[in-house]
């Protein structure tokens, strides 16, 4: 077992520790395509077997389906054997006469509810209560304000102060926010005593804008960072990206695709793979606690967990830095800054 596979890292000063690889729950909420119930349950079971014992979900994912499936799969597992996080900010209001699917939301599920933004103190409490009912569990460990990009002031005055009160009451252990942009997250880190923030994109093998604001702020404040999108929504998930690969949910720009191909060539020259470089590189930053990766089947879980076991030679990291694919100040495993 590698150090990456065996170790855990703290979420701020909360006392919660997580493995470096987390299970992203959006795919088992039928992100883009449907996943059979049995496959979703087996994926969660495989994650437990592989040591991927940090599960990240949200009401948004499949209009609650992700929470329902993950909770059902975890019931009966000793509660302290896993870390579970969900999110607040979107309430699910039932639709009296559902029609069609949640195609606009990105999930292949019946449109049984509609999402309602609510970052108020009461909305946060209600959201957690409803999540616990869907999960069928008595608690979550991590609670994040979800996507307050257009609602920053509401999160600042309502949701985040309420999360602090809920932490003081012992309802949750670790609190924070999850977003796709670094600016608001950096402001939240500077203004609030947060244990963790989840950053989707903005720090991967090809682009590292989070080095300019969020990651230094997180180090100063003792806030841990969990990363999403470390494979760039597909570009870095294969040994050699195809010409039609996506990057951050859009067709990969030509210059980004070219850099991914250079990284893939470098990986092959050193006997490793592009996905292994992509995952292990981002885990080297001292502010990063974990990378949450979307997984929809036992096979995907096994494949992603195995990336932690790849022994990347120091020469590969040195060549990566020398190539200019990553910025010079990006921490890489075993290399001095």
């Amino acid at each position: 077992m590698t150090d990456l596979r065996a170790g855990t890292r703290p979420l701020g000063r909360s006392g919660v520790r997580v493995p470096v690889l987390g299970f992203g729950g959006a795919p088992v909420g039928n992100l883009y395509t449907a996943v059979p119930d049995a496959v979703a349950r087996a994926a969660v079971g495989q994650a437990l077997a592989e040591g991927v014992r940090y599960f990240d979900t949200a009401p948004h994912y499949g209009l609650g389906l992700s929470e329902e499936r993950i909770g059902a799969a975890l019931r009966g597992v000793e509660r302290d054997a896993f870390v579970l996080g969900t999110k607040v900010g979107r309430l699910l209001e039932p639709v009296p006469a559902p029609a069609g699917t949640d195609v606009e939301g990105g999930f292949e599920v019946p449109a049984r509810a509609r999402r309602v933004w609510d970052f108020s103190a009461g909305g946060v409490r209600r959201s957690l209560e409803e999540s616990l009912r869907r999960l069928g569990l008595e608690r979550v460990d991590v609670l994040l304000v979800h996507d307050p990009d257009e609602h920053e002031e509401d999160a600042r005055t309502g949701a985040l102060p309420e999360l602090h009160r809920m932490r003081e009451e012992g309802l949750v252990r670790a609190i924070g926010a999850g977003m796709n942009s670094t600016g608001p997250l950096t402001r939240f880190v500077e203004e609030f005593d947060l244990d963790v923030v989840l950053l989707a994109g903005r720090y991967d093998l090809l682009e590292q804008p989070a080095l300019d604001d969020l990651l230094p702020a997180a180090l100063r404040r003792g806030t841990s960072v969990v990363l999403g999108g470390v494979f760039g929504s597909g570009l870095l998930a294969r040994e050699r990206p195809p010409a039609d690969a996506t990057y951050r949910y859009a067709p990969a720009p030509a210059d980004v695709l070219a850099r991914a191909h250079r990284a893939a060539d470098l990986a092959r020259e050193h006997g490793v793979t592009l996905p292994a470089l992509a995952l292990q590189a981002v885990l080297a930053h001292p502010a990063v606690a974990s990378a949450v990766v979307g997984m929809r089947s036992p096979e995907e879980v096994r494949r992603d967990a195995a990336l932690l076991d790849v022994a990347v030679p120091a020469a590969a990291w040195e060549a990566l830095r020398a190539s200019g694919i990553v910025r010079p100040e990006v921490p890489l495993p075993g290399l001095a800054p």
Side-chain angles (χ1 to χ4, degrees), residues 263-313:
D265 292 341
L266 183 155
R268 186 176 62 251
E269 290 167 9
H270 290 87
V272 295
T273 66
L274 179 60
L277 289 184
L279 178 59
Q280 292 191 28
V282 298
L283 292 173
H285 195 285
V288 172
S290 185
V292 169
V293 176
M295 307 178 195
R296 67 175 62 238
S297 68
E299 294 74 23
E300 288 191 5
V301 174
R302 283 192 290 268
R303 182 195 66 200
D304 291 335
L307 299 176
L308 299 175
D309 297 327
V310 175
V312 180

Side-chain angles (χ1 to χ4, degrees), residues 14-334:
S14 68
V16 177
R17 298 186 66 90
V18 295
V20 298
L21 181 62
F23 183 101
V28 297
N30 288 1
L31 179 66
Y32 303 134
T33 58
V35 176
D37 283 338
V39 173
R41 180 182 286 270
V44 173
Q46 189 66 40
L48 291 169
E50 298 283 353
V52 183
R53 293 173 173 258
Y54 171 30
F55 298 89
D56 173 78
T57 183
H60 171 55
Y61 302 156
L63 296 174
L65 180 63
S66 174
E67 290 181 321
E68 292 168 359
R69 284 175 160 175
I70 288 174
L74 291 176
R75 285 198 289 277
V77 178
E78 199 230 322
R79 185 58 189 82
D80 290 337
F82 61 89
V83 173
L84 177 61
T86 192
K87 304 181 184 76
V88 298
R90 292 177 176 91
L91 294 173
L92 301 181
E93 297 286 357
V95 173
T101 65
D102 183 42
V103 62
E104 290 188 2
F107 295 89
E108 186 61 40
V109 295
R112 59 182 179 174
R114 65 185 184 94
R115 300 171 179 86
V116 178
W117 292 107
D118 192 333
F119 294 94
S120 68
V124 165
R125 296 259 175 178
R126 176 182 160 192
S127 183
L128 177 58
E129 291 169 2
E130 294 177 355
S131 287
L132 291 174
R133 282 198 292 271
R134 285 188 290 267
L135 289 161
L137 299 170
E138 74 279 7
R139 76 171 195 268
V140 298
D141 304 289
V142 184
L143 196 58
L144 304 178
V145 180
H146 197 189
D147 292 339
D149 302 69
E150 305 300 324
H151 309 271
E152 186 175 342
E153 190 59 25
D154 291 337
R156 177 177 287 107
T157 59
L160 287 168
E162 192 65 15
L163 288 190
H164 279 76
R165 286 187 283 270
M166 293 166 75
R167 183 177 62 185
E168 291 169 1
E169 294 168 20
L171 294 176
V172 294
R173 298 175 63 194
I175 62 169
M179 301 177 70
N180 298 311
S181 52
T182 62
L185 278 183
T186 302
R187 291 190 285 274
F188 290 156
V189 165
E190 296 283 14
E191 295 173 33
F192 294 92
D193 177 22
L194 302 183
D195 302 296
V196 57
V197 291
L198 196 163
L199 175 67
R202 307 300 182 264
Y203 191 74
D204 60 35
L205 191 68
L206 301 180
E207 295 183 340
Q208 306 90 35
L211 283 173
D212 299 324
D213 50 10
L214 178 61
L215 292 172
L219 284 177
R220 288 194 304 272
R221 296 282 290 166
T223 300
S224 297
V225 177
V226 171
L227 295 173
V230 298
F231 297 131
S233 80
L235 181 63
L236 302 172
R238 304 185 193 180
E239 293 195 16
R240 186 166 185 83
D244 62 350
T246 59
Y247 182 62
R248 297 181 181 170
Y249 305 102
D255 62 322
V256 173
L257 182 62
R259 286 167 53 225
H261 283 160
R262 289 203 302 275
D265 292 341
L266 183 155
R268 186 176 62 251
E269 290 167 9
H270 290 87
V272 295
T273 66
L274 179 60
L277 289 184
L279 178 59
Q280 292 191 28
V282 298
L283 292 173
H285 195 285
V288 172
S290 185
V292 169
V293 176
M295 307 178 195
R296 67 175 62 238
S297 68
E299 294 74 23
E300 288 191 5
V301 174
R302 283 192 290 268
R303 182 195 66 200
D304 291 335
L307 299 176
L308 299 175
D309 297 327
V310 175
V312 180
W317 299 122
E318 292 166 354
L320 186 69
R321 180 173 286 172
S323 71
I325 293 171
V326 299
R327 290 166 52 171
E329 66 269 35
V330 170
L332 291 173

